[in-house]
Amino acid sequence: MASHRKSRPTGTRVAGIRTPALATAALTSVALLSQTATAAPSDDDRPSLEEVEKKVDDLYRQAGSATEKYNAAKERTAKQRKRVDTLLDDVAERTQRLNEAREALGSFASAQYRTGAAVPETATFLLADSPQDYFDRNHLMSRLTGRQKDAVDDYVTQQSATVEKRREATESLETLTASQSELRTAKSTVQKKLATARELLSELTAEEKARLAAIEEKKREEAARKAAELAKQQAEERERQEEAAQRESGAATGSAGSSGSGGTGAGSGSTTPESSHGTKAEKALAFARAQMGKPYVWGATGPGSYDCSGLTQAAWKAAGVTLPRTTYDQVDAGTTVAVSQAQPGDLVFFYADLSHVGLYIGDGMMIHAPKPGAYVREESIFYDGESSIHSVVRPA
């Protein structure tokens, strides 16, 4: 009997029971690992320190651009407010003169009423929508004396001028309202950009802040190297110019020596345009140096704090030169020169949107109000790379 019994397929049975269990366990493990990875993102998901630095720098530049827009809107608002005040004063004066002209006409009407002459015409004239309408209808002009006609003419003139000034004042008030709205928008934009930058920096760990400082130091070293190269290039150019001037001077002295004219000192007391500009530039630089250490504050023009264009404007004002308020206008306030030809006192503009400006002091260096949280300081004009330099302008 036993010889006819079929053996149990133990191997197949085991496989049939155990394999699904093992597969289920494996799938469960994969799912759990997948969920864990999704629930707890790795450090690789965080932006790199370089990305954070770039983002912060971009935000500061955007804030700088918004600051210049704020400065422009603030300047327009101030000018518009002054215009509105002037117009309102003018309207008040013209209204007074209109009232006086109306009183003069009233006196004629009273006189005519007392004498019984032409009462209807005068009353109708005073009640008409405009004097000219009445003239066209009733030909009152032929009935008026010379003095009365002068009074009517004065009234018409004052009424027309007053209406026109009131219209101008209304339009100026509307423009002022628009400028104030633009001012608030620009201010809000600056504040949001700066708040975002501060938030990004606050999220950095102590180690990341140390690494960021090291990156910035490396950038400063590279900027200083570029400044030294420019300083060497400019020094060599000055030497060539001095040698050429000496050769020309020697040749001129040799040709004039036999004449005995004694003219070697001629013109020593004259002032050339170059020397005059140099004197003004020295005054501007002296002022800028005196502001070093004062904080950058967006929209500030001194004396306790400055933004970039506020500093350059104040520096040249100390030298007797009036510059516009914003970088957008300052870039057109002089002659553009090559970076290699920059001289002390020149304005160095940065970025395609002209959102920053500094005052060149020579040897590849400048004095500027850099950004929020920083102070007026000396720094290489290559502080953000050579490509960031937009142009160099010599104030007129």
Side-chain angles (χ1 to χ4, degrees):
M1 295 292 291
S3 60
H4 298 287
R5 183 179 296 174
K6 294 182 179 180
S7 61
R8 294 180 178 180
T10 55
T12 305
R13 182 181 179 86
V14 170
I17 293 174
R18 293 181 180 178
T19 299
L22 291 172
T24 301
L27 290 171
T28 302
S29 298
V30 171
L32 288 173
L33 288 172
S34 177
Q35 291 175 359
T36 302
T38 303
S42 65
D43 289 341
D44 293 339
D45 293 332
R46 296 185 61 189
S48 67
L49 192 60
E50 288 74 12
E51 290 173 336
V52 171
E53 181 198 27
K54 184 179 184 304
K55 181 64 174 177
V56 170
D57 287 345
D58 287 344
L59 285 168
Y60 277 136
R61 280 196 291 272
Q62 292 168 19
S65 180
T67 295
E68 291 306 312
K69 292 179 181 177
Y70 168 85
N71 292 338
K74 186 177 180 180
E75 189 173 41
R76 284 194 298 271
T77 299
K79 289 180 179 178
Q80 200 61 38
R81 182 178 288 112
K82 184 177 180 181
R83 173 170 170 75
V84 166
D85 290 343
T86 300
L87 284 171
L88 290 177
D89 289 343
D90 195 2
V91 166
E93 292 177 3
R94 290 182 181 278
T95 300
Q96 177 62 30
R97 289 199 291 269
L98 178 63
N99 291 336
E100 292 173 355
R102 184 180 291 114
E103 290 175 1
L105 287 177
S107 66
F108 288 124
S110 298
Q112 289 176 340
Y113 177 78
R114 286 193 299 271
T115 61
V119 174
E121 290 85 350
T122 303
T124 304
F125 169 74
L126 292 175
L127 294 174
D129 291 336
S130 71
Q132 190 61 49
D133 289 342
Y134 180 80
F135 294 154
D136 293 340
R137 293 195 307 266
N138 299 284
H139 305 287
L140 180 62
M141 192 65 71
S142 61
R143 303 188 180 198
L144 297 176
T145 66
R147 185 179 175 190
Q148 289 172 325
K149 183 179 182 304
D150 290 341
V152 171
D153 289 344
D154 185 46
Y155 176 81
V156 172
T157 301
Q158 296 302 333
Q159 184 184 52
S160 176
T162 302
V163 169
E164 176 62 21
K165 288 300 178 180
R166 283 175 178 166
R167 184 191 62 78
E168 290 183 23
T170 300
E171 291 179 353
S172 293
L173 282 170
E174 292 174 353
T175 304
L176 175 59
T177 301
S179 297
Q180 290 172 331
S181 176
E182 184 181 355
L183 184 64
R184 287 191 294 269
T185 300
K187 182 176 182 178
S188 176
T189 300
V190 174
Q191 292 173 332
K192 288 178 181 178
K193 299 293 184 184
L194 296 181
T196 303
R198 285 192 292 266
E199 182 179 357
L200 284 172
L201 291 174
S202 68
E203 293 174 352
L204 296 177
T205 65
E207 180 183 356
E208 288 173 330
K209 290 179 180 178
R211 287 171 52 203
L212 182 60
I215 292 173
E216 291 177 346
E217 179 60 28
K218 186 176 181 180
K219 288 174 63 177
R220 282 193 291 270
E221 291 175 355
E222 175 61 18
R225 185 187 67 79
K226 294 287 292 182
E229 288 180 0
L230 178 59
K232 181 179 179 181
Q233 177 184 352
Q234 291 180 330
E236 291 173 350
E237 179 61 25
R238 284 195 298 271
E239 288 179 3
R240 284 193 293 270
Q241 291 177 355
E242 290 173 359
E243 290 174 358
Q246 288 175 359
R247 286 194 297 270
E248 292 178 1
S249 176
T253 302
S255 62
S258 60
S259 66
S261 61
T264 56
S268 61
S270 63
T271 301
T272 65
E274 291 79 7
S275 64
S276 175
H277 181 273
T279 300
K280 291 179 180 178
E282 289 175 3
K283 291 180 179 179
L285 291 175
F287 178 91
R289 288 192 177 95
Q291 312 313 307
M292 288 178 60
K294 293 183 178 180
Y296 174 102
V297 174
W298 65 273
T301 57
S305 57
Y306 297 89
D307 64 15
C308 64
S309 56
L311 176 65
T312 51
Q313 182 190 44
W316 272 100
K317 182 179 180 180
V321 177
T322 301
L323 292 182
R325 174 63 182 94
T326 67
T327 55
Y328 312 130
D329 294 324
Q330 288 183 10
V331 74
D332 295 323
T335 304
T336 302
V337 298
V339 174
S340 61
Q341 301 299 315
Q343 295 180 5
D346 289 352
L347 304 176
V348 186
F349 294 90
F350 296 87
Y351 313 117
D353 61 357
L354 297 171
S355 56
H356 191 62
V357 63
L359 194 66
Y360 192 68
I361 61 175
D363 294 336
M365 302 293 288
M366 67 178 174
I367 296 176
H368 69 147
K371 60 184 179 181
Y375 299 84
V376 176
R377 66 191 183 203
E378 287 189 10
E379 194 162 25
S380 167
I381 63 172
F382 303 101
Y383 78 106
D384 200 22
E386 187 171 2
S387 62
S388 69
I389 299 176
H390 178 277
S391 56
V392 178
V393 172
R394 187 160 300 147

